[in-house]
Amino acid sequence: MLNDYLNQTAELQRQTGTNQRGQPIFSEITTVQCRLQQKHSLIKKSDSEVISAEHVCYLTDEVRTGDKINGLTVLAVNDMINFDGEIIGYKAVM
């Protein structure tokens, strides 16, 4: 169902860990099917800090906070769940 809307591609780099200085280490770039939108939103983090995000990416490949999509760091991820309780996709905010 979601795959019909994923008519764009993006470059995904997964965060695989951190180096000795605490900087993130990323995997090789992979191309994934997605739907990209420019949308301004405010996100309230768990420490009550409010951050601004301007891009949203819908995709079926698992993505986590800290990964990069088209060079932008993922700030928040929401699971998209169908009526059977299964995860069918992800909404990444950058």
Side-chain angles (χ1 to χ4, degrees):
M1 181 171 121
L2 180 63
N3 289 328
D4 295 337
Y5 297 100
L6 306 180
N7 58 2
Q8 297 168 306
T9 59
E11 295 178 343
L12 173 64
Q13 282 185 289
R14 300 184 192 281
Q15 183 177 352
T16 58
T18 56
N19 64 13
Q20 295 173 343
R21 296 181 179 169
Q23 297 172 335
I25 299 172
F26 294 97
S27 66
E28 294 293 321
I29 294 174
T30 57
T31 303
V32 294
Q33 289 293 118
C34 67
R35 176 72 180 166
L36 293 167
Q37 291 182 340
Q38 287 189 336
K39 184 177 181 181
H40 184 77
S41 58
L42 296 174
I43 301 169
K44 187 173 186 179
K45 295 171 53 176
S46 59
D47 61 356
S48 298
E49 179 185 2
V50 177
I51 54 175
S52 176
E54 296 186 10
H55 298 86
V56 176
C57 182
Y58 300 93
L59 62 166
T60 55
D61 294 282
E62 185 176 0
V63 65
R64 296 173 300 200
T65 303
D67 292 349
K68 288 188 176 186
I69 298 175
N70 286 345
L72 301 171
T73 303
V74 176
L75 303 173
V77 177
N78 293 331
D79 297 337
M80 297 181 354
I81 301 173
N82 66 8
F83 293 120
D84 296 327
E86 300 169 349
I87 296 174
I88 59 169
Y90 302 91
K91 175 184 174 183
V93 180
M94 299 150 312

